[in-house]
Amino acid sequence: MPRPIEALIHHDALAHNLGVARARALGARVWAVVKANAYGHGIERVFDALRSADGFALLDLTEAERVRGLGWRGPVLLLEGAFEARDLELCSRLHLWHTVHNEAQIDWLAAHKTETPQRVFLKLNSGMNRLGFAPAALRTAWARLNALPQVDEVSLMTHFSDADGAGGVAAQLARFERATEGLPGERSLANSAALLRHAETAAADWVRPGIMVYGSAPDHPQHTAAHWNLRPTMTLRTQVIALQQLAPGDTVGYGNTFTAAHAMRIGVVACGYADGYPRHAPSGTPVLVDGQRTQTVGRVSMDMITVDLTALPQAGVGSEVTLWGRGPSDSVLPVDDVALPAQTVAYELMCALAPRVPVRVD
Ligand SMILES: Cc1ncc(COP(=O)(O)O)c(C=O)c1O
């Protein structure tokens, strides 16, 4: 018998969450961001559920090839553009739109031989300080691109650094507007947080929601996924495989980090960090057992975690354990509730789902 662990990808939830993005986008077109193998879900597994998107945004060229291989003829945007000159050949062959964030990419375009001019998204660094032209350099870059026969249409984009936080988008938006004033072309600004929290000012022509499509609140814990009407798209579930009875003073797991203060019943669960469960999740991280919320005790090990079953006398070997996502009887454990105590974000947990976990589309 295989280990009981599996991950489920929920098509209904993906389609629902994309619908939430569209409903908030004020008429803007919607890129479904599917980089990092659709945030760990698998591009091939999410594709059908996200077909109603206006385009797919990603960054690996191999992922772009996979999207085209699935028969998608609409827009595909490379969020970091070409990494080397010959990438432009694939852009021409697969009709990829691509970001231009530095001079070298313009040089490669100028030298590129193509019969089909390409659509590019010129990126402004409005304050994130990762990719993009400085405001003072943007117009020269725009003029260079606009003059190239290899370029069809120049659109404009930027990326917010604190759309989910107190900083908001206003300062970067003001810089973007000043830097691009009077330049023609469509604009794309908003990630999930900007779309949910600042759509009136940031929706522009194309929005780029990622994490919200995968059912996590970008501004958790200020808001929950349920607050934004987002549903879990990935469930990680397994079973209790053994039980332990602890006396007061007994410890659990490596390093003896948890000591029972009273008699406890402990379930040993077939999931560990080699499955993608975060090793940093401390004692007290929530789990569902048969749909009831309880918590981990002791350290996460490679293949197992231990959970408190003291208040769940009916639970035993074979009980269903939901690490995150949908449990039995309409129970839900939002992935954000696991990410928070583990001092990480839902993005990381979903992307880290290990290859050894069998995945099923539900
Ligand atoms: C340029 C760009 N746009 C959009 C997104 C989607 O962001 P999120 O998943 O927070 O919605 C990302 C992801 O980091 C990104 O890098």
Side-chain angles (χ1 to χ4, degrees):
M1 190 180 135
R3 273 173 92 226
I5 192 163
E6 65 174 354
L8 301 176
I9 305 301
H10 305 296
H11 264 197
D12 57 344
L14 286 159
H16 166 86
N17 296 340
L18 185 65
V20 172
R22 191 177 287 292
R24 300 192 75 94
L26 305 174
R29 271 157 294 159
V30 180
W31 297 109
V33 179
V34 294
K35 67 195 174 104
N37 201 20
Y39 290 47
H41 291 60
I43 287 178
E44 289 75 10
R45 294 190 199 103
V46 302
F47 177 70
D48 272 338
L50 301 182
R51 274 198 121 102
S52 69
D54 297 298
F56 289 92
L58 41 74
L59 48 87
D60 285 313
L61 277 88
T62 51
E63 291 187 340
E65 281 184 296
R66 283 162 60 192
V67 169
R68 286 286 184 240
L70 289 163
W72 177 255
R73 292 175 185 278
V76 173
L77 175 65
L78 295 177
L79 287 166
E80 295 184 7
F83 296 97
E84 56 178 329
R86 66 176 177 171
D87 292 348
L88 296 177
E89 289 160 25
L90 198 72
C91 292
S92 286
R93 186 152 54 79
L94 298 182
H95 302 286
L96 308 179
W97 301 2
H98 52 102
T99 301
V100 171
H101 62 82
N102 64 25
E103 293 287 349
Q105 290 173 323
I106 305 182
D107 296 340
W108 299 336
L109 263 169
H112 179 53
K113 294 192 180 9
T114 180
E115 274 156 29
T116 36
Q118 301 183 353
R119 173 141 178 197
V120 298
F121 277 64
L122 176 61
K123 185 159 189 175
L124 175 75
N125 172 15
S126 60
M128 173 70 112
N129 287 316
R130 282 191 327 195
L131 300 182
F133 288 87
L138 190 84
R139 278 166 200 276
T140 311
W142 188 90
R144 270 195 80 194
L145 283 171
N146 199 45
L148 291 180
Q150 292 88 344
V151 172
D152 167 28
E153 199 177 325
V154 184
S155 303
L156 298 159
M157 71 186 283
T158 196
H159 193 49
F160 297 120
S161 60
D162 200 21
D164 54 321
V169 300
Q172 281 185 261
L173 202 53
R175 257 177 244 139
F176 179 84
E177 273 160 11
R178 227 176 300 124
T180 61
E181 197 179 351
L183 292 180
E186 292 188 331
R187 271 93 168 133
S188 177
L189 316 173
N191 59 359
S192 298
L195 173 56
L196 290 171
R197 295 166 64 98
H198 305 284
E200 325 69 51
T201 51
D205 299 303
W206 286 88
V207 293
R208 309 188 302 269
I211 196 67
M212 67 176 290
V213 173
Y214 305 99
S216 158
D219 57 354
H220 187 262
Q222 187 186 353
H223 294 113
T224 62
H227 169 89
W228 295 120
N229 186 22
L230 301 171
R231 299 182 187 157
T233 58
M234 178 192 285
T235 292
L236 180 60
R237 73 178 183 191
T238 183
Q239 290 178 10
V240 174
I241 56 166
L243 298 169
Q244 295 293 337
Q245 191 67 47
L246 304 188
D250 283 351
T251 62
V252 189
Y254 286 119
N256 303 337
T257 60
F258 179 84
T259 305
H262 50 76
M264 290 179 83
R265 203 162 151 266
I266 297 299
V268 182
V269 169
C271 176
Y273 60 77
D275 299 298
Y277 194 82
R279 185 175 176 278
H280 294 295
S283 287
T285 301
V287 296
L288 304 180
V289 177
D290 291 332
Q292 313 249 43
R293 204 165 165 121
T294 180
Q295 52 185 28
T296 64
V297 291
R299 267 196 200 148
V300 173
S301 49
M302 183 184 280
D303 311 304
M304 284 173 272
I305 58 172
T306 33
V307 301
D308 184 4
L309 299 181
T310 313
L312 303 175
Q314 78 292 352
V317 170
S319 282
E320 182 171 333
V321 179
T322 309
L323 287 323
W324 59 73
R326 286 186 192 168
S329 317
D330 293 331
S331 56
V332 170
L333 178 58
V335 62
D336 294 321
D337 288 10
V338 179
L340 185 69
Q343 298 188 334
T344 182
V345 285
Y347 301 70
E348 189 180 18
L349 296 190
M350 294 192 283
C351 287
L353 184 72
R356 81 174 186 180
V357 177
V359 184
R360 268 198 307 126
V361 173
D362 157 45

